[in-house]
Amino acid sequence: MTVMSRNDLLLFLGFTVVVLAMPIWLHPFGAAYPDLLQRFMIYGIFAVGFNILFGLTGYLSFGHAAFFGVGSYAAVWSFKLLSLDAIPAMIFAIVISGLFALIIGYVSLRRSGIYFSILTLAFAQMSYNLAYSVLTPITNGETGLQLTLNDPRYLDRAMFEAAPGQPVPTLLGQSLGGFAGFYFCAGFLILAFFIAQRITSSPFGMMLKGIKSNQTRMNYTGFNTKPYTLAAFVISGMYAGLAGALLAVTDPLAGAERMQWTASGEVVLMTILGGAGTLVGPVIGAWLIKYFENIFSAINENILHRFFDFLPDGVDNVLVAISSKFVGEGWFLTLGLVFVLIVVFLPGGIMEGVRRIAHLFDRSRRSPTKPGKATPHPQPAE
Amino acid sequence: MFEVIFLQFLNGLDKGAAYALIALGLTLVFGTLGVVNFAHGALFMLGAFCAVMFRQLLTLETVTLDPEKLSPWGAPLEIREPLVQAWFGDFGAVLVNYSVPASIIITIPIMLLVGIALERGIIKHFYKRPHAEQILVTFGLAIVAQEVIKSFFGPNPIPQPMPTDLRGAADIGAFLGMQANVITYPIWRLIYFLFSFVIIGGVFAFLQFTTFGMVVRAGMADRETVGLLGINIDRRFTIMFGLAAVVAGLAGVMYTPLLPPNYHIGMDFLVLSFVVVVVGGMGSLPGAVAAGFLLGILQSFASMTQVKALIPGIDQIIIYLVAVVILLVLPRGLFGRRGVMEA
């Protein structure tokens, strides 16, 4: 295994610190409660995984929510059949969603471009429709799959008596509610980030980037690109399955709506918003979307009235009437607008914005020392 | 047995007609501008809401209180008087009754404007960008359109009554010389099917028999050469985008009595229409129409109880299944041209 470069190591350490300290630094933003933090972690993993496929190889999958949903179902089934412990559930979910991704990827990757997007979309919609109709014995249809008191749980029953009360997922006997659940998910996010980082800087990752920039040329140089894209697809499907399983661990209820194509669209939005092809970007995108979803959808007209209180009465009402269209129920409108603006003006997402700003500072700091080289058009003398 | 099959065939026609109309517009946009338009379903939805809006305008009422008469609980009785009927008398009543077909008149200019504004405002900048970015920006636009409609008309479906004369069913069996009352078919669905036929025929005739259409076809085949001949092909393509928006809008208007429109009706149809377009072959207009009807009819057959008993759940997935098979067997779809969006 190659040694990590200093920059990679710094990035990884920085990321770890930021994630673990989230309950502290998110406190002033009003987001430091476990439920939301867990979702930050889960969707972060989902987006990191999606980015391994889309960001590195350029294949735009519109059906990733299927793997997310399959991961959830697999985890809940593991809770029901095997044990309430989270570890077997995670392993089971990753294996199942990996197999699922292998089958779908093998078929879909025979085509590329928009055909690939449509194929993945078709498979995801099929899974969604089946989960609602024929597969109800497995998925429990619209009600969603839940834990019940008289689930078999063979492993648990073999070892000890069932605890009384509503079954909840645990980790080696420890409950996973609240901040324990957050740190459990955070551990997985950090691990997921680490693996993604290693993949990106490995020869395998270089191969994937080569496929993105010119697949034909890769084929001409003698590489069979199919196994590489398939591997990326399966890995990213396993990431989605892991995220789905974590969602089932924190809230043991799996519903088919997780597999709908809007859910697939959401992870695409997260990745693009943050910056596809970068490591940190998708995570930031996921955090921002989940954060604003939470904040914006909680705002109602009363809060707006208080916010615009300092203005004269008429102006106040007009502003509230306008802005109330963008918050609460209408938060998707804001999301759509922001998204359009990002794609039009900043196709690289937030990370490209950061890079541009950094570049700007870099130049302005460097230009006084090396005036001739940095600026091709020297400023006129004053 | 023959009657059953024929009936299912008919049942598939109206849905197939809707798929065909949306897919036709999608293909027009793709063939001319080379843009993968995920906002096309939103245009269908906007058309449907043109009908809703038109009816709401027509049924505006003046509410006056009648001090003479009291309701059973003692409050003055409200007199509601529809404005249109007050102004136009009987003609107004007919207009309200036929509000859905009548709203075509306002839908055409609105959708043309929306389409051209969309193309000039945003999509114009995406010709040279990768397909993934086109998908993303139009997806964002679709979300915006959806949410704007939701904030004005609310999240619930708004039923649109069909004209009273056109309710009920037509006895097609008797018309074709078979036994009476065996094959009956709702009149409005029949109208929708015929309407789609007229629109599709109109679009094809427009492309085939007018100079404008000829130039557009030439531009689809080789844009650069047409531009070199001194023709402003961009402007014509913009108008084609407007035309595609009108087709989608009209498909939406006429579909409202069959399915009460809500804000995400477009998305529901969009996913299916994309499948239709891909099955028909990207960039092929006849392919889009043929695949639309084919998938609509297949879906209707798959919903038969006998078929469902044989293969449970087939009605839910048939369209996607057909799409997967066709894409893997015929890489260009049914009628795809060589060289258009291959790989």
Side-chain angles (χ1 to χ4, degrees):
Chain A
M1 196 162 157
T2 49
V3 189
M4 287 173 95
S5 76
R6 196 166 135 259
N7 276 348
D8 278 359
L9 199 64
L10 277 179
L11 180 66
F12 176 67
L13 288 179
F15 183 78
T16 311
V17 170
V18 166
V19 167
L20 290 181
M22 264 184 135
I24 303 165
W25 65 266
L26 275 180
H27 204 71
F29 299 99
Y33 53 95
D35 188 41
L36 184 61
L37 288 174
Q38 284 164 4
R39 263 179 289 151
F40 280 178
M41 300 300 113
I42 290 164
Y43 285 94
I45 294 173
F46 194 13
V48 167
F50 182 76
N51 184 51
I52 290 180
L53 181 70
F54 176 57
L56 292 184
T57 67
Y59 276 79
L60 176 59
S61 155
F62 248 92
H64 249 56
F67 309 126
F68 191 80
V70 166
S72 284
Y73 282 125
V76 176
W77 270 112
S78 157
F79 292 142
K80 284 170 95 71
L81 288 181
L82 295 174
S83 155
L84 276 177
D85 200 89
I87 302 282
M90 314 298 300
I91 297 170
F92 190 58
I94 293 176
V95 169
I96 294 286
S97 56
L99 282 177
F100 198 60
L102 185 68
I103 299 167
I104 291 184
Y106 182 77
V107 179
S108 309
L109 282 168
R110 296 175 59 155
R111 315 299 313 278
S112 64
I114 177 145
Y115 292 106
F116 172 78
S117 305
I118 298 287
L119 277 174
T120 46
L121 179 64
F123 278 116
Q125 284 297 97
M126 271 198 254
S127 324
Y128 168 71
N129 286 346
L130 287 182
Y132 258 128
S133 57
V134 192
L135 296 181
T136 25
I138 301 177
T139 61
N140 208 8
E142 275 181 55
T143 333
L145 195 61
Q146 334 183 357
L147 301 184
T148 55
L149 276 176
N150 32 8
D151 289 331
R153 290 201 287 281
Y154 295 112
L155 276 181
D156 281 5
R157 295 272 152 86
M159 284 187 275
F160 45 81
E161 282 294 299
Q166 185 65 26
V168 281
T170 55
L171 176 66
L172 305 173
Q174 300 292 309
S175 141
L176 278 175
F179 280 103
F182 161 68
Y183 281 110
F184 183 68
C185 299
F188 276 102
L189 176 64
I190 291 167
L191 182 70
F193 184 79
F194 178 73
I195 295 174
Q197 205 180 19
R198 298 310 296 157
I199 287 178
T200 312
S201 56
S202 68
F204 170 65
M206 292 305 288
M207 209 79 83
L208 297 182
K209 284 181 214 160
I211 291 170
K212 182 181 187 179
S213 53
N214 195 335
Q215 184 159 13
T216 326
R217 195 173 290 171
M218 288 290 285
N219 283 327
Y220 285 164
T221 27
F223 286 109
N224 182 7
T225 50
K226 180 91 190 285
Y228 292 98
T229 38
L230 185 58
F233 191 88
V234 172
I235 292 173
S236 115
M238 285 158 92
Y239 267 74
L242 169 67
L246 282 174
L247 196 60
V249 168
T250 53
D251 178 17
L253 169 78
E257 72 284 346
R258 274 175 206 176
M259 303 166 89
Q260 212 183 357
W261 73 280
T262 42
S264 305
E266 197 183 14
V267 73
V268 180
L269 295 189
M270 289 171 180
T271 311
I272 300 286
L273 180 71
T278 62
L279 275 168
V280 193
V283 185
I284 295 179
W287 290 351
L288 280 178
I289 286 187
K290 283 292 152 195
Y291 176 72
F292 283 111
E293 178 183 87
N294 205 50
I295 300 294
F296 269 51
S297 38
I299 297 177
N300 54 26
E301 289 205 4
N302 291 333
I303 299 178
L304 282 176
H305 271 296
R306 237 178 293 147
F307 184 75
F308 289 118
D309 222 12
F310 61 95
L311 290 166
D313 245 7
V315 185
D316 172 18
N317 286 335
V318 172
L319 275 181
V320 168
I322 295 173
S323 52
S324 66
K325 295 282 180 208
F326 293 91
V327 295
E329 292 274 288
W331 115 266
F332 268 104
L333 178 58
T334 320
L335 181 67
L337 281 176
V338 169
F339 185 65
V340 170
L341 292 178
I342 289 265
V343 180
V344 172
F345 295 110
L346 211 63
I350 289 173
M351 290 309 285
E352 187 180 316
V354 171
R355 212 174 307 133
R356 279 189 197 173
I357 292 170
H359 189 65
L360 219 62
F361 275 103
D362 212 31
R363 213 169 33 187
S364 60
R365 205 180 328 129
R366 213 175 289 168
S367 54
T369 52
K370 301 186 232 167
K373 268 187 183 171
T375 47
H377 301 290
Q379 305 245 319
E382 283 167 336
Chain B
M1 193 60 207
F2 171 75
E3 286 85 5
V4 178
I5 291 177
F6 188 62
L7 195 61
Q8 290 302 327
F9 179 78
L10 285 177
N11 277 337
L13 283 183
D14 63 314
K15 213 157 206 182
Y19 295 155
L21 282 177
I22 303 175
L24 181 72
L26 269 176
T27 309
L28 270 182
V29 171
F30 182 77
T32 51
L33 301 168
V35 169
V36 180
N37 184 12
F38 257 54
H40 204 73
L43 295 173
F44 177 85
M45 184 263 308
L46 286 180
F49 274 91
C50 280
V52 173
M53 191 182 69
F54 190 61
R55 192 177 173 82
Q56 286 187 351
L57 285 180
L58 283 182
T59 49
L60 281 180
E61 297 167 321
T62 51
V63 179
T64 42
L65 295 180
D66 189 348
E68 313 266 304
K69 291 179 192 153
L70 293 179
S71 67
W73 43 90
L77 205 63
E78 285 179 353
I79 305 174
R80 291 174 178 272
E81 199 173 0
L83 280 175
V84 178
Q85 278 172 44
W87 293 340
F88 300 110
D90 279 350
F91 173 70
V94 173
L95 201 61
V96 171
N97 188 9
Y98 278 87
S99 77
V100 172
S103 55
I104 288 176
I105 301 163
I106 65 154
T107 308
I108 292 176
I110 291 181
M111 294 312 293
L112 199 63
L113 271 180
V114 167
I116 290 177
L118 204 62
E119 202 275 338
R120 284 291 94 183
I122 291 184
I123 293 179
K124 180 176 81 172
H125 305 289
F126 279 81
Y127 294 159
K128 296 273 152 60
R129 300 251 203 119
H131 284 300
E133 281 180 22
Q134 295 171 353
I135 293 178
L136 294 169
V137 78
T138 46
F139 182 60
L141 285 174
I143 295 178
V144 172
Q146 226 173 271
E147 292 303 315
V148 168
I149 289 296
K150 186 175 150 194
S151 73
F152 280 106
F153 292 93
N156 296 322
I158 305 170
Q160 296 295 302
M162 48 188 95
T164 38
D165 302 339
L166 302 178
R167 284 174 202 169
D171 198 342
I172 292 186
F175 180 71
L176 292 176
M178 282 182 273
Q179 217 180 333
N181 288 325
V182 177
I183 298 172
T184 55
Y185 194 63
I187 296 177
W188 187 264
R189 292 177 169 221
L190 205 62
I191 288 180
Y192 192 82
F193 171 66
L194 294 176
F195 172 78
S196 78
F197 233 71
V198 170
I199 298 273
I200 292 169
V203 169
F204 274 93
F206 177 69
L207 285 176
Q208 205 67 38
F209 302 122
T210 62
T211 320
F212 188 96
M214 193 181 67
V215 173
V216 167
R217 276 186 298 134
M220 282 166 87
D222 189 343
R223 180 182 188 147
E224 235 167 49
T225 312
V226 176
L228 286 174
L229 291 172
I231 294 168
N232 187 352
I233 190 74
D234 283 358
R235 216 190 57 204
R236 281 159 217 249
F237 279 0
T238 308
I239 294 172
M240 287 314 284
F241 192 97
L243 185 69
V246 170
V247 170
L250 291 182
V253 166
M254 295 297 277
Y255 209 72
T256 48
L258 297 179
L259 184 69
N262 56 6
Y263 67 99
H264 56 72
I265 185 174
M267 284 292 184
D268 301 345
F269 270 92
L270 176 84
V271 176
L272 287 172
S273 324
F274 252 104
V275 174
V276 168
V277 169
V278 171
V279 167
M282 287 302 269
S284 158
L285 293 174
V289 174
F293 281 110
L294 176 75
L295 291 182
I297 289 164
L298 275 179
Q299 194 179 28
S300 143
F301 275 114
S303 327
M304 287 167 71
T305 36
Q306 292 95 322
V307 180
K308 272 200 281 192
L310 209 63
I311 317 167
I314 186 72
D315 55 320
Q316 303 284 331
I317 60 168
I318 177 78
I319 288 190
Y320 304 107
L321 208 60
V322 170
V324 168
V325 171
I326 287 198
L327 273 189
L328 294 177
V329 179
L330 296 168
R332 280 191 287 275
L334 289 176
F335 293 80
R337 281 179 296 157
R338 183 173 283 276
V340 178
M341 284 290 291
E342 282 195 54

